[in-house]
Structure formats: structure tokens, C-alpha cells
Amino acid sequence: QVQLVESGGGSVQAGGSLTLSCAASGHKYGYYCMGWFRQAPGKERERVATIDDSRTAFYAKSVEGRFTIAKDSSGDTLFLHMNNMKPEDTAMYYCAAERTLAGSCDSTFGPKPGGRFYWGQGTQVVVSS
């Protein structure tokens, strides 16, 4: 069973930076696409960024050029480096992992019937203007 534990959320002023971390366990057997989602109150969940087993990254247009997703060398920790933050980045951020063929990522990254998708518990990020 894959377990994901986020940390690093908090409050920051607009223009500031924050780094989220996600400690993963139970994922050593198999290949996984990993990523970050966020959800603000009253809004739909948004896929923020994903990174595949070869460390190729995808970003939502809303964060491209400001956020960077990365994994440590062991693949046990996922990061989301957030720079030049905006009030609209305020949300609960969730780490996620999906077991896929060769650890590839695509636009369907997310929970699906019969899939192996795992969520972290979430970490709150607040950006004040």
C-alpha cells in the first residue's frame, strides 16, 4: 500500500516562495506517475504538476514558469517548489501517485475505476496579497 505524507504548507505573501514535500512509502514495487493537485474552496480540483519515472514534468498553465516539481535521487520524496506566488495559489495541496505502465504520466492522471491511485492527506497553502 502506497502512503504519501505531505509537509511544508503555510502562509506566504504574494511574490514569495514555498516548497512542499511529499514522503512516499510502499511504492518500491512498480512504476508510478507522481504529482500534485490543489483545490481551493468552492473550486474544482486542479492538477498542478506531474513527473514521470524518467523525471519528465508537466505543469498546468496557471503555474508554468513559477512552480517546479522534482523528486529526490531515491524517488522517495516528491517536491513542489513554488515561486512568485499569487493569492490565487491559495488552496489545499495534495500529493498523489498512480501506478502506471513504466511510470508514465498522461492527461488522465487521477483516480479512476480499477486504477491504483493514492492521495496524501493534504497541506494548506495560503498566499496573502
Side-chain angles (χ1 to χ4, degrees), residues 45-57:
R45 184 176 60 206
E46 178 185 22
R47 180 168 51 112
V48 175
T50 60
I51 187 167
D52 66 18
D53 215 57
S54 63
R55 300 173 188 270
T56 299

Side-chain angles (χ1 to χ4, degrees), residues 43-99:
K43 294 190 176 181
E44 290 190 358
R45 184 176 60 206
E46 178 185 22
R47 180 168 51 112
V48 175
T50 60
I51 187 167
D52 66 18
D53 215 57
S54 63
R55 300 173 188 270
T56 299
F58 160 86
Y59 298 95
K61 290 191 185 302
S62 57
V63 306
E64 198 162 20
R66 300 187 298 119
F67 290 12
T68 302
I69 188 171
K71 292 190 289 188
D72 69 355
S73 57
S74 68
D76 291 339
T77 305
L78 182 70
F79 301 99
L80 186 66
H81 304 290
M82 304 183 289
N83 297 314
N84 189 22
M85 297 186 73
K86 303 176 181 181
E88 50 264 43
D89 294 324
T90 295
M92 185 71 80
Y93 283 72
Y94 297 91
C95 176
E98 181 177 17
R99 186 165 179 172

Side-chain angles (χ1 to χ4, degrees), residues 27-33 53 98-104:
H27 63 296
K28 290 301 186 184
Y29 300 100
Y31 298 93
Y32 292 84
C33 172
D53 215 57
E98 181 177 17
R99 186 165 179 172
T100 65
L101 187 64
S104 60

